[in-house]
Amino acid sequence: MIAGDWLGRRSTLTPDKAALIDTLNGNREITYRAWNLSANQTANYFHHRFEINKGDRVAVLAKNCVAYLDTWFGLGKLGGILQNLNWRLSARELIGLV
């Protein structure tokens, strides 16, 4: 476990405690164990599909949702850096950031 892997540590301490309530999907309760597993799967996907490693920046355009949290914590497990893009910006403004 990475020293800064808060989610991994929390899933070890209280694996069956509710961590999140997914209000976009029928108020589904997500435990720390399930959330950590999902974040690990996201980290593995980023590492194997896009070769994301420690220090790499990943720009994300998303609103708040569980998938966004999986991305944030998954990148943290890899040592990647999440670069948020503001969803309120126009396409023209976003292109200027790339």
Side-chain angles (χ1 to χ4, degrees):
M1 175 171 52
I2 297 173
D5 184 8
W6 174 86
L7 184 55
R9 179 151 169 75
R10 180 51 46 197
S11 72
T12 300
L13 295 172
T14 56
D16 298 320
K17 185 174 181 179
L20 302 169
I21 304 295
D22 187 355
T23 60
L24 299 178
N25 291 301
N27 292 326
R28 179 176 61 107
E29 187 175 279
I30 301 170
T31 64
Y32 283 105
R33 177 183 309 164
W35 186 17
N36 187 54
L37 177 62
S38 185
N40 284 339
Q41 290 172 337
T42 301
N44 285 327
Y45 177 78
F46 281 143
H47 180 68
H48 294 293
R49 176 69 171 91
F50 300 108
E51 299 180 8
I52 302 298
N53 293 300
K54 185 176 182 176
D56 290 340
R57 292 182 181 271
V58 177
V60 174
L61 176 63
K63 293 184 178 181
N64 290 337
C65 62
V66 174
Y68 170 79
L69 294 172
D70 289 346
T71 298
W72 182 19
F73 281 92
L75 286 171
K77 289 172 179 287
L78 293 173
I81 302 164
L82 177 68
Q83 178 61 56
N84 290 308
L85 298 174
N86 189 331
W87 60 269
R88 292 181 183 102
L89 295 177
S90 69
R92 184 176 180 171
E93 291 169 316
L94 287 168
I95 290 170
L97 296 174
V98 178

